[in-house]
Amino acid sequence: LFVRQREVFEFHPARAPAESHLKMAFLSLFRIGLLYLAASNLLLAHAAPTAPIQGQLLLPDGSDLNTTRITLNDGEQTTYTRPDGTFTFYHVPPGVHLLDVQSQFYHFSQVKVQLLEESMDAPKCIEYAFPGAPKTVAPYPILLTAHAKYEYFEKQQGFAFSSILKNPMMLMMIFSVGLMFVMPMMMDNLDPEDKERMQKQMEMQSDPQKMLSELMGGLTGAPAQAPVKKASGKSRKSRRD
């Protein structure tokens, strides 16, 4: 017994340093964990509160909307709609945030969301149909209905009789045809003197040489010379005889 106790007594001092080192290592790790938990709790206590922003997109006819991209503050945060049109932004800090729907087919309003630290669960929303439009108060959760559908192509217009009247060439042709029927009626209603004067003007317009002579005579004050008629071959022979 004495020998066995001696062996145990001699073996125990050799194990003591290893066990003490392990205990010290565990204690140090435990203290580090406590310090980490305390620091994280302090950071969470002093950090700014956050809240989610929720809403839904709808179409006027009630049909399903394809997956649509929605941005907050020009792309600082991005989310996509669910099959039922709902969406959520998580961990949004206090402040004024601009919500914009990036749809390629429908036009939705822009919404400004104001989150206050005192009332993070009840944000205030203002809706703009388009930039510069009058402000309207929007409910929360945000509910947006499409205003219109984008049209990238113009529809081909069919034949219309009114398009013929818009053509200037057709208008000129109709006017000239109308003058052809109206002018004879106007000539019949004119006085004989006016009719003779108009006939002379038409003759002058048909004969440019006569019109020039009339103009030169009016400028110089000399009477207009009558046009000289060419003698025929028979008159020349009679003079010779």
Side-chain angles (χ1 to χ4, degrees), residues 13-232:
R15 291 173 56 190
E19 292 179 357
S20 62
H21 286 302
L22 288 174
K23 289 181 180 179
M24 292 296 294
F26 282 122
L27 287 174
S28 59
L29 289 174
F30 182 72
R31 289 172 182 172
I32 292 172
L34 290 177
L35 290 174
Y36 178 77
L37 290 175
S40 62
N41 289 330
L42 287 174
L43 290 174
L44 290 174
H46 292 285
T50 60
I53 294 178
Q54 299 176 353
Q56 186 178 11
L57 302 182
L58 298 174
L59 296 179
D61 56 358
S63 59
D64 295 334
L65 180 67
N66 294 333
T67 302
T68 305
R69 180 171 175 262
I70 306 172
T71 59
L72 204 65
N73 299 330
D74 295 330
E76 288 184 3
Q77 294 188 31
T78 303
T79 187
Y80 292 89
T81 57
R82 302 182 184 93
D84 59 350
T86 58
F87 61 89
T88 305
F89 288 97
Y90 297 98
H91 307 295
V92 182
V96 179
H97 307 280
L98 178 63
L99 187 145
D100 195 5
V101 180
Q102 306 291 334
S103 177
Q104 299 180 355
F105 305 101
Y106 299 95
H107 175 71
F108 290 89
S109 300
Q110 291 182 337
V111 180
K112 282 188 177 180
V113 184
Q114 185 180 18
L115 289 174
L116 301 176
E117 293 185 5
E118 298 82 12
S119 57
M120 294 292 289
D121 296 334
K124 299 178 181 179
C125 304
I126 298 175
E127 181 179 354
Y128 299 83
F130 53 88
K135 305 175 184 178
T136 57
V137 179
Y140 185 82
I142 302 168
L143 190 64
L144 296 178
T145 304
H147 296 288
K149 186 176 182 180
Y150 294 126
E151 295 290 344
Y152 294 98
F153 302 97
E154 293 184 0
K155 294 182 179 179
Q156 187 177 3
Q157 297 181 357
F159 176 77
F161 185 76
S162 58
S163 61
I164 298 176
L165 300 177
K166 294 178 182 179
N167 192 343
M169 298 297 295
M170 292 298 297
L171 292 175
M172 292 176 62
M173 188 167 62
I174 292 171
F175 180 73
S176 59
V177 172
L179 285 178
M180 290 174 59
F181 289 98
V182 173
M183 283 299 292
M185 298 171 62
M186 293 175 63
M187 292 292 291
D188 294 339
N189 296 328
L190 289 176
D191 295 335
E193 295 180 357
D194 295 337
K195 188 183 294 186
E196 186 178 357
R197 190 182 307 154
M198 188 174 289
Q199 288 177 355
K200 287 182 180 179
Q201 290 179 357
M202 293 176 68
E203 290 177 359
M204 290 175 60
Q205 291 178 1
S206 61
D207 191 357
Q209 187 176 0
K210 187 176 181 180
M211 185 173 63
L212 288 174
S213 62
E214 288 286 341
L215 289 173
M216 294 299 293
L219 293 173
T220 57
Q225 296 180 0
V228 180
K229 296 182 179 179
K230 294 182 179 181
S232 59

